[in-house]
Amino acid sequence: MRRKLIAGNWKMNGLLADGVALAAGVAELAKPRSHKCDILICPPYTLLIETVRAVTGSSVAVGGQDCHAKVSGAHTGDVSAQMLTDLGCRYVILGHSERRADHGESDALIKAKAQSALAANLTPIVCVGETESQRDSGKTLEIVAGQLKGSLPDGGTAEKVVIAYEPVWAIGTGRTPTLDEVQEVHAMIRRESGLGQGLRILYGGSMKPSNAKELLALPDVDGGLIGGASLKVEDFWAIATACP
Ligand code: PEP
């Protein structure tokens, strides 16, 4: 039985006071530990330390949104996986489509980052997903399988790696694939990853309180990677509590 993971990706949002209030709000709701899923929040680097402090003592985990592939060195502006672990992070999102697009990240680079995450004892959340034109031309499964093959770390196991399927055209748009389409891609990811039944595969792309229940009920959907709706405590919590 896979325990679901609900992960909030705050992206480049939040100043200190707002970020701390949001993290503390989630931690407060999680306190009774009556929820049926693991909860993760991934704030920008500037809020990591205070977020870790705000959730200390609760069951809420904290993660980064990216890391460098190297442990240290002359990489101005970058942050290593080890630095994230050092702050108290347990996860790191890698290969988000916004990083693939804004920073030209390749599958090979994402794989190298995922390897460094594993070496630093962080769980990488490796993101994959097709663009709208790729879906329209019937290439979704081929594209996602290729990204998976190129970006999964060597030596990863179902316990140490999480995959997020995020159709690029569904991110921040309010649109989602049909439930059958989501399930089809997730089942393929499980098969092609070779990581088996224990692997957690998150769905991301306009997940919100109104559609979370049906998405999270799909057999191969093991949680959500939530962007916009993770910025409001009530919405994020409504998604977390929609886990069956
Ligand atoms: C994301 O960016 O990972 C995401 C899923 O965003 P949203 O929920 O806003 O579509």
Side-chain angles (χ1 to χ4, degrees):
M1 187 60 187
R2 300 180 293 268
R3 187 168 163 88
K4 293 197 194 295
L5 171 64
I6 299 297
N9 172 15
W10 293 2
K11 312 192 189 196
M12 195 174 71
N13 290 298
L15 300 181
L16 195 51
D18 308 329
V20 169
L22 181 53
V26 173
E28 185 61 29
L29 288 168
K31 228 182 223 162
R33 293 181 192 247
S34 52
H35 50 284
K36 299 189 192 118
C37 58
D38 292 338
I39 311 262
L40 167 68
I41 48 186
C42 301
Y45 291 136
T46 50
L47 297 178
L48 278 173
I49 274 216
E50 290 301 333
T51 299
V52 168
R53 285 194 183 124
V55 305
T56 294
S58 79
S59 56
V60 178
V62 178
Q65 297 176 12
D66 180 46
C67 69
H68 197 274
K70 298 264 167 60
V71 174
S72 61
H75 302 289
T76 303
D78 282 313
V79 165
S80 73
Q82 206 179 45
M83 289 168 175
L84 296 178
T85 311
D86 189 41
L87 285 188
C89 291
R90 290 175 35 209
Y91 292 82
V92 61
I93 299 169
L94 294 174
H96 190 284
S97 60
E98 286 152 15
R99 292 209 59 88
R100 289 180 187 259
D102 296 353
H103 300 271
E105 293 198 0
S106 64
D107 290 335
L109 178 64
I110 294 156
K111 175 175 176 164
K113 291 181 175 198
Q115 305 263 153
S116 77
L118 288 179
N121 215 14
L122 280 180
T123 300
I125 301 177
V126 177
C127 302
V128 291
E130 81 287 359
T131 62
E132 185 154 32
S133 64
Q134 288 164 339
R135 176 162 283 275
D136 289 346
S137 52
K139 293 201 177 116
T140 297
L141 295 181
E142 180 193 328
I143 293 291
V144 173
Q147 290 174 335
L148 204 58
K149 194 161 183 279
S151 41
L152 279 185
D154 295 330
T157 62
E159 290 71 38
K160 290 191 177 161
V161 173
V162 172
I163 296 171
Y165 168 55
E166 298 206 304
V168 179
W169 54 272
I171 294 178
T173 60
R175 298 160 58 208
T176 57
T178 65
L179 296 177
D180 285 348
E181 286 166 346
V182 172
Q183 172 55 26
E184 180 186 36
V185 179
H186 279 233
M188 181 280 289
I189 289 174
R190 187 174 308 288
R191 209 171 45 244
E192 293 295 317
S193 71
L195 294 175
Q197 289 302 315
L199 174 71
R200 293 199 284 189
I201 307 168
L202 314 184
Y203 169 77
S206 298
M207 191 185 272
K208 47 195 176 212
S210 58
N211 62 14
K213 197 167 180 198
E214 53 188 15
L215 285 162
L216 292 167
L218 293 170
D220 284 292
V221 172
D222 307 307
L225 183 53
I226 325 294
S230 71
L231 296 172
K232 282 196 193 138
V233 179
E234 313 75 48
D235 287 355
F236 187 58
W237 196 252
I239 294 172
T241 52
C243 285

